[in-house]
Amino acid sequence: MTTVIPPVTQAWEGFAEGAWTDTIDVRDFIQRNFTPYTGDAAFLAGPTDKTLRTWQHLEDNYLSVERERRVYDVDTETPADIDAFGPGYISEDDDVIVGLQTETPLKRAMMPYGGWRMVETALREAGREPDQRVKEIFTRYRKTHNDAVFDIYTPRIRAARSSHIITGLPDAYGRGRIIGDYRRVALYGVDRLIADKEAAKHAVHDAGFSEHWARYREEHAEQIRALKKLKVMAESYGFDISGPATTAQEAVQWTYFGYLGAVKSQDGAAMSIGRLSSFLDIYIERDLAAGTLTEEGAQELIDALVIKLRIVRFLRTIDYDQIFSGDPYWATWSDAGFMDDGRPQVTRTSFRLLQTLRNLGPAPEPNITIFWDDQLPEGYKEFCAAISIETSSLQYESDKQIRDRWGDDAAIACCVSPMKVGKQMQFFGARVNAAKTLLYAINGGRDEMSGKQIVEGHSPITGDGPLDFDEVWQKYEEMLDWVISTYVEALNIIHWSHDKYAYEAIEMALHDSDIIRTMGCGIAGLSIVADSLSAIRYADVYPVRDETGLIVDYRTEGEFPVYGNDDDRADDIAATIVHTVMAKIKEIPLYRDAIPTQSVLTITSNVVYGKATGNFPCGHRAGTPFAPGANPTNGADNHGMLASMLSVGKLDYNDALDGISLTNTITPSGLGRTKDEQVENLVGILDAGFIMDEN
């Protein structure tokens, strides 16, 4: 007699049962089944011959060509979708983890639902002409997100946008900042996910009509449709993902298919992949124990997945690339940290992920983000430090700050924005130019670059004597009221339109049906406005006017403290600015009752913000880049890295729950003479900085 093992039982064989077996709960599965690793990196394997051949083929035939052209190739005839393209492979060796956005590596797809104008511009900049049939559809028959936004925009939003006091709004491209729980595809299979969404949809049907009721059912119908397309796409590669993954290779492949569905159908400003290491490690450990997988094979799986993440491409305009200083898409992979029960979420696969930077060489994608805590296993901390020194390819976040507010299954969307995986999404909001707002306050709403009157009803500073701090601060608060209300109004319009015309169906299909929504607002130019206000308070600042009376420069006499040197006088001003902006945002109702959050983040767009902004009392010159994120003004921090970390640590995380970024540059030789000294000292700096931040 032959016993037939049901597919789910076979797939879950050897796993500890729990709530996850009855409901969609990946965190419970991980908590009950993952194995923390407290050792060092000695077990790791180098790249296999197949990995090296695949990577070299990419370099020789695609990546090198793309560097010469900027864009390797574009499909001009097929609007992108999960199942819009047939299967594609890198080479004959590409059989470990498969799947491309189109049928050819690096070939970009059109995503016109966000807006046709950006697509057409990007096509022409890539040397292609748009297909007239597709153009007619998206200019005559199918309204886009961008069309809707500009139909609704008010004159003051348009004025603020054109003057760059609000910049980078996601009104012509995908908003991003949504992390689908791609692990669900591997753990449950698509049929189970469809059944779960069907049940949720039909649970809301007899409460009487409302907009909420209608939208809920329609969005669930879109999610179900997207999950069915995901199955079709996987079938084109020869895989049936209707049921759960049964091996480590399938677990990686199924998870990647979920992510591939997202990047095939959405071109969001940040397309993070989430938190995978502990999850994938469970399958890898099971196969290693069964003797069906070797360490070399395990590393090959992670290397193959990372190769795929490195070659995701979106059709972008040159202007977009300038805003973000290149063509990033932030496939952020979050790792490490602790579970709520005190166990470190460091696994052997955490090491394998870092090892890809040695096996394949450094790269910005995936954006590997370590949730740091000084109590993490020493072997892992040392390996992180060694990889950082070798590659400059890691970023670090405070695990305690994130876990205390967002739980132990949180991940970073984009650079610093944390959220509960599969239970939360963000309405991305770009940033207001908080520094330029100060210049508007001083000039009564006239733009210091163009001279145009952008904001009505505000009187400028008069006289040629030193600026008075109390007068300037009052005018700054009043100008912030106008800027922030305009900003939030724009965000509400954008996200209403995005949900209606460019809904992220597959990403939301990999979320719970009832989720937390945040509105991710942000500010740019913090250090410049803090230093300028410090100059006004502690030195003598004289305005310099042009022939029309517009203040275009400043003459500052005397010394003043600057933010970033652990000096409370300047640091408290910076913290007050962040708090004031957040308090004003909280006063305004948000679309879909979103929770307002704020980031202090301009890791790439600081250059563009600087170009649109004039001279400042602190000495910052017109047109020059802002410091990134919460960094001190370029060259102003003269007390060392730890002092700048302490200054940033004074910003209240409750005022910036969307994240605070600090970018530091360290020359390895400055950390010590030997590699061991450098590793030890970098670990010490990270420990000290994050301990201070937590306090």
Side-chain angles (χ1 to χ4, degrees):
M1 179 178 178
T2 301
T3 302
V4 178
I5 302 176
V8 169
T9 305
Q10 182 181 11
W12 294 347
E13 187 176 0
F15 295 153
E17 296 182 0
W20 67 270
T21 58
D22 300 316
T23 59
I24 307 297
D25 191 342
V26 178
R27 178 195 174 274
D28 183 67
F29 167 74
I30 293 170
Q31 185 179 42
R32 294 176 185 276
N33 289 284
F34 91 104
T35 304
Y37 178 68
T38 58
D40 60 22
F43 73 93
L44 287 167
T48 64
D49 289 342
K50 179 179 288 188
T51 295
L52 292 175
R53 287 195 305 270
T54 303
W55 187 242
Q56 192 62 50
H57 185 86
L58 264 172
E59 172 59 35
D60 293 344
N61 296 279
Y62 298 101
L63 293 169
S64 60
V65 177
E66 182 184 61
R67 284 193 290 271
E68 293 177 3
R69 298 178 183 171
R70 179 179 167 265
V71 173
Y72 175 80
D73 196 6
V74 185
D75 184 292
T76 62
E77 299 178 351
T78 312
D81 203 348
I82 297 167
D83 59 351
F85 296 93
Y89 301 88
I90 296 169
S91 65
E92 291 182 358
D93 286 311
D94 184 20
D95 61 1
V96 179
I97 299 299
V98 301
L100 302 176
Q101 287 173 286
T102 61
E103 78 284 353
T104 304
L106 306 187
K107 186 176 183 180
R108 306 180 190 218
M110 299 181 297
M111 296 191 179
Y113 297 99
W116 177 254
R117 284 178 294 175
M118 178 174 275
V119 168
E120 186 167 11
T121 300
L123 285 171
R124 291 208 162 102
E125 289 174 348
R128 302 289 193 278
E129 284 298 313
D131 181 277
Q132 292 305 306
R133 178 184 59 86
V134 177
K135 179 177 180 177
E136 183 180 20
I137 290 170
F138 286 95
T139 57
R140 197 170 168 189
Y141 302 112
R142 174 56 159 84
K143 191 169 187 176
T144 68
H145 159 58
N146 182 246
D147 293 331
V149 167
F150 279 86
D151 280 349
I152 304 169
Y153 268 175
T154 63
R156 74 174 190 171
I157 295 174
R158 287 174 176 263
R161 189 180 186 275
S162 63
S163 69
H164 304 290
I165 197 163
I166 303 172
T167 300
L169 291 168
D171 51 17
Y173 59 89
R175 59 190 170 193
R177 301 288 185 94
I178 300 175
I179 308 174
D181 190 355
Y182 306 110
R183 307 167 301 186
R184 296 184 181 193
V185 180
L187 183 57
Y188 295 106
V190 173
D191 284 356
R192 169 73 182 276
L193 301 179
I194 290 173
D196 185 69
K197 290 297 181 180
E198 289 277 10
K201 175 187 175 184
H202 294 304
V204 180
H205 62 85
D206 59 359
F209 179 83
S210 67
E211 282 193 41
H212 171 77
W213 175 91
R215 178 165 56 187
Y216 184 92
R217 286 180 57 80
E218 183 186 32
E219 287 182 349
H220 276 70
E222 289 294 321
Q223 293 172 24
I224 293 164
R225 194 171 292 116
L227 288 168
K228 291 178 179 178
K229 289 180 180 179
L230 190 67
K231 288 176 61 175
V232 171
M233 184 264 287
E235 286 169 1
S236 75
Y237 285 96
F239 291 96
D240 178 6
I241 61 172
S242 59
T246 61
T247 66
Q249 183 167 8
E250 286 187 355
V252 178
Q253 182 68 72
W254 271 223
T255 301
Y256 173 62
F257 275 145
Y259 183 73
L260 183 59
V263 297
K264 275 176 169 283
S265 57
Q266 287 290 332
D267 62 345
M271 298 293 287
S272 299
I273 198 165
R275 193 171 185 136
L276 304 183
S277 295
S278 297
F279 175 77
L280 296 177
D281 193 76
I282 296 168
Y283 290 87
I284 292 172
E285 285 293 313
R286 185 178 66 171
D287 285 7
L288 286 170
T292 58
L293 184 68
T294 64
E295 181 54 42
E296 290 74 15
Q299 186 64 53
E300 186 178 62
L301 288 175
I302 304 304
D303 287 345
L305 175 57
V306 167
I307 286 174
K308 291 300 189 298
L309 299 181
R310 289 189 179 189
I311 60 173
V312 168
R313 296 291 187 272
F314 295 114
L315 182 63
R316 308 290 200 192
T317 64
I318 292 173
D319 281 347
Y320 180 97
D321 289 355
Q322 289 176 344
I323 290 175
F324 295 105
S325 298
D327 188 20
Y329 74 99
W330 290 287
T332 304
W333 183 324
S334 303
D335 210 348
F338 280 83
M339 297 292 290
D340 286 340
D341 61 15
R343 291 179 295 162
Q345 284 201 73
V346 174
T347 64
R348 289 179 185 265
T349 299
S350 302
F351 281 79
R352 295 181 185 113
L353 173 62
L354 301 186
Q355 180 73 354
T356 65
L357 294 167
R358 284 180 170 168
N359 288 355
L360 303 173
E365 305 287 3
N367 178 25
I368 299 174
T369 299
I370 310 302
F371 286 7
W372 190 269
D373 187 288
D374 67 300
Q375 297 301 309
L376 287 172
E378 288 299 321
Y380 181 70
K381 288 165 47 176
E382 291 170 359
F383 192 53
C384 286
I387 293 295
S388 285
I389 291 167
E390 292 173 21
T391 69
S392 300
S393 296
L394 302 183
Q395 73 171 26
Y396 298 90
E397 306 270 351
S398 169
D399 178 62
K400 187 175 187 304
Q401 294 280 22
I402 293 169
R403 184 162 36 88
D404 284 352
R405 290 163 177 82
W406 310 107
D408 59 8
D409 194 35
I412 299 296
C414 192
C415 304
V416 296
S417 306
M419 58 190 66
K420 298 180 178 181
V421 179
K423 300 180 180 300
Q424 179 181 342
M425 62 87 73
Q426 182 194 103
F427 297 133
F428 168 52
R431 286 156 282 280
V432 296
N433 192 331
K436 192 177 181 75
T437 303
L438 177 65
L439 302 184
Y440 272 37
I442 293 171
N443 275 311
R446 284 184 71 192
D447 189 274
E448 75 287 353
M449 301 292 275
S450 67
K452 293 179 180 179
Q453 188 73 42
I454 302 299
V455 186
E456 301 289 345
H458 293 259
S459 59
I461 297 284
T462 58
D464 297 321
L467 298 177
D468 177 74
F469 178 85
D470 291 336
E471 181 185 13
V472 171
W473 178 258
Q474 180 180 346
K475 288 182 176 296
Y476 185 53
E477 280 219 61
E478 292 170 354
M479 190 57 66
L480 280 173
D481 287 335
W482 186 93
V483 171
I484 289 170
S485 64
T486 305
Y487 173 48
V488 173
E489 183 179 40
L491 295 184
N492 284 336
I493 290 168
I494 287 167
H495 294 294
W496 180 91
S497 301
H498 206 295
D499 274 350
K500 187 172 183 180
Y501 295 103
Y503 182 64
E504 301 93 338
I506 191 61
E507 291 169 270
M508 297 311 299
L510 300 174
H511 279 69
D512 291 354
S513 290
D514 295 305
I515 61 169
I516 300 167
R517 292 180 175 86
T518 60
M519 185 73 80
C521 306
I523 59 172
L526 174 63
S527 62
I528 296 171
V529 66
D531 291 353
S532 293
L533 287 169
S534 178
I536 294 168
R537 169 172 274 178
Y538 295 106
D540 292 324
V541 176
Y542 297 87
V544 177
R545 302 177 186 274
D546 67 9
E547 62 278 5
T548 70
L550 181 71
I551 298 173
V552 294
D553 206 352
Y554 302 87
R555 178 169 54 86
T556 301
E557 297 178 357
E559 301 294 324
F560 58 93
V562 293
Y563 165 76
N565 293 293
D566 193 24
D567 187 320
D568 287 345
R569 294 174 296 168
D571 297 346
D572 287 350
I573 292 174
T576 299
I577 294 163
V578 175
H579 177 75
T580 300
V581 171
M582 188 69 249
K584 292 180 183 300
I585 292 170
K586 287 179 177 178
E587 294 174 357
I588 306 171
L590 299 178
Y591 171 63
R592 294 187 87 161
D593 297 321
I595 299 168
T597 62
Q598 180 178 209
S599 66
V600 187
L601 168 68
T602 46
I603 286 178
T604 53
S605 53
N606 49 300
V607 176
V608 171
Y609 283 92
K611 284 182 179 178
T613 308
N615 297 309
F616 283 89
C618 65
H620 186 87
R621 306 311 296 164
T624 58
F626 289 178
N631 275 54
T633 298
N634 298 322
D637 51 331
N638 49 34
H639 285 61
M641 178 178 168
L642 189 56
S644 69
M645 294 176 78
L646 293 173
S647 288
V648 172
K650 295 173 191 175
L651 305 178
D652 190 341
Y653 183 52
N654 291 305
D655 291 326
L657 290 174
D658 195 40
I660 302 169
S661 76
L662 173 65
T663 305
N664 275 307
T665 300
I666 307 174
T667 303
S669 60
L671 289 168
R673 291 172 294 178
T674 68
K675 181 69 175 291
D676 288 345
E677 284 182 358
Q678 293 169 4
V679 167
E680 181 181 358
N681 288 331
L682 181 54
V683 168
I685 290 170
L686 290 168
D687 280 348
F690 282 109
I691 288 171
M692 291 294 183
D693 179 57
E694 291 166 4
N695 294 333

